[in-house]
Amino acid sequence: MKEMDSRFLELLADKPDLISDFPDWMLSQSAVDAIRATEGVAIAEIAGRDSVAAVIRACELQPIKAVFPTIAYTGTEYGRWKTPFEKTELMKERLERSSIKVFDPVVVGSPRMWWILCGKDTAQLNQQYGFLPHCVGCHLYFHAIRIPLAKKLGSTLIIGGERESHDGRIKINQIKVSLDAYQVFVKKFDIELFLPLRHVTSGEEIESIIGMQWDEGGQQLDCVLSRNYRQRDGSVIYNEESIKRFFSEFAFDAAEKSIQEYL
């Protein structure tokens, strides 16, 4: 399996603004030109198990001829950064057997943009909407952060691994109103956020798509804010109207202002 370029580790330690301008060794102008000249390129969001399965399923459902993998960072993850690169290689081996080209991955991120969406106004947003918006805002960030790159590469399709239900468990960043909001936001930029696993509820089906055993939440990065919206008994209490208002009154505007700066 191809080794992760050690230069990625330096970037992931510093976590600079890395959204539209990339080091030449990661994404050269000649590579951009080659990608723009390639038909049917989709931007792939690579994180954990579901994201890999989503790319495989998307290539079965859409006329995708090439995949451009992206690995995004915030300021809150911890764990083994080599893992998403290794999973990208596994995905590449699987897709290239079906004659789908997979480009080398890039990393994208802006802890400052994440702070604007998910950290800076936490106290006020909690008071205003009645919930901590970290996870909902973070997933909007994960999709939005890929928009300038999609524009740069001439791609109109971003593949995400979001699911409305995880074997019956609820994640407020992946309930219907949240997923609807992400897709509406990305569509503002004439890009489709394709969620091929949206209505897949079973982890067994995810493993069947991948063709290997892979426990949910395993072999991926962790977040220091994970599960912050759950009660101590594991239940999730939320108000859909409050989440809708969070997007319409705050998050969409904040995210769009940030993205427009890079466009």
Side-chain angles (χ1 to χ4, degrees):
M1 183 175 292
K2 183 179 177 181
E3 281 293 315
M4 171 187 175
D5 192 316
S6 61
R7 289 175 290 189
F8 280 119
L9 290 177
E10 182 177 348
L11 279 175
L12 292 166
D14 293 342
K15 293 187 176 180
D17 255 24
L18 200 61
I19 298 179
S20 56
D21 295 322
F22 298 87
D24 195 64
W25 61 266
M26 188 192 304
L27 185 63
S28 66
Q29 185 57 51
S30 61
V32 171
D33 294 340
I35 294 164
R36 291 186 66 90
T38 303
E39 185 181 354
V41 177
I43 305 293
E45 300 180 352
I46 303 299
R49 179 187 71 168
D50 289 0
S51 63
V52 172
V55 176
I56 294 171
R57 175 56 58 85
C59 291
E60 296 170 350
L61 299 174
Q62 297 241 18
I64 296 169
K65 297 185 178 179
V67 170
F68 191 86
T70 58
I71 298 166
Y73 53 78
T74 69
T76 62
E77 298 127 319
Y78 64 95
R80 185 174 181 271
W81 273 106
K82 288 186 178 181
T83 300
F85 291 88
E86 292 168 352
K87 298 309 178 185
T88 299
E89 283 298 309
L90 287 174
M91 181 191 72
K92 180 177 182 178
E93 292 170 8
R94 168 75 179 270
L95 292 180
E96 289 189 340
R97 290 201 295 268
S98 301
S99 300
I100 295 172
K101 181 176 179 57
V102 179
F103 294 98
D104 289 336
V106 301
V107 296
V108 296
S110 170
R112 176 174 174 78
M113 180 179 167
W114 191 96
W115 170 71
I116 290 170
L117 269 175
C118 312
K120 179 170 71 74
D121 299 313
T122 296
Q124 179 179 330
L125 294 172
N126 184 33
Q127 183 180 30
Q128 190 169 348
Y129 301 112
F131 72 99
L132 292 171
H134 302 122
C135 294
V136 175
C138 184
H139 277 233
L140 175 63
Y141 161 89
F142 276 135
H143 302 308
I145 203 81
R146 268 90 173 188
I147 291 171
L149 178 61
K151 291 292 188 182
K152 187 183 189 80
L153 299 179
S155 174
T156 58
L157 186 68
I158 297 175
I159 306 167
E162 313 269 34
R163 295 195 285 143
E164 288 186 21
S165 177
H166 298 70
D167 293 289
R169 286 176 289 106
I170 298 297
K171 299 183 178 182
I172 63 169
N173 50 12
Q174 297 187 52
I175 60 175
K176 182 180 185 301
V177 294
S178 297
L179 300 190
D180 287 346
Y182 307 148
Q183 291 182 312
V184 166
F185 180 81
V186 174
K187 193 66 177 176
K188 287 173 176 278
F189 298 87
D190 298 317
I191 297 169
E192 178 186 1
L193 174 60
F194 185 43
L195 305 176
L197 307 181
R198 179 166 182 165
H199 301 296
V200 173
T201 61
S202 166
E204 290 182 357
E205 185 172 349
I206 299 298
E207 291 182 340
S208 175
I209 294 169
I210 299 172
M212 60 178 285
Q213 185 176 358
W214 185 349
D215 294 335
E216 182 182 358
Q219 302 177 63
Q220 67 182 68
L221 295 165
D222 291 300
C223 175
V224 296
L225 296 173
S226 179
R227 302 180 178 91
N228 70 81
Y229 51 82
R230 292 186 184 179
Q231 304 297 306
R232 289 181 178 176
D233 64 1
S235 63
V236 179
I237 300 172
Y238 63 92
N239 181 293
E240 288 190 359
E241 288 305 313
S242 293
I243 294 174
K244 289 179 181 178
R245 287 179 52 226
F246 165 75
F247 284 119
S248 64
E249 297 173 4
F250 169 76
F252 277 10
D253 184 57
E256 186 165 0
K257 285 180 179 177
S258 293
I259 292 303
Q260 289 292 359
E261 290 179 8
Y262 297 102
L263 294 176

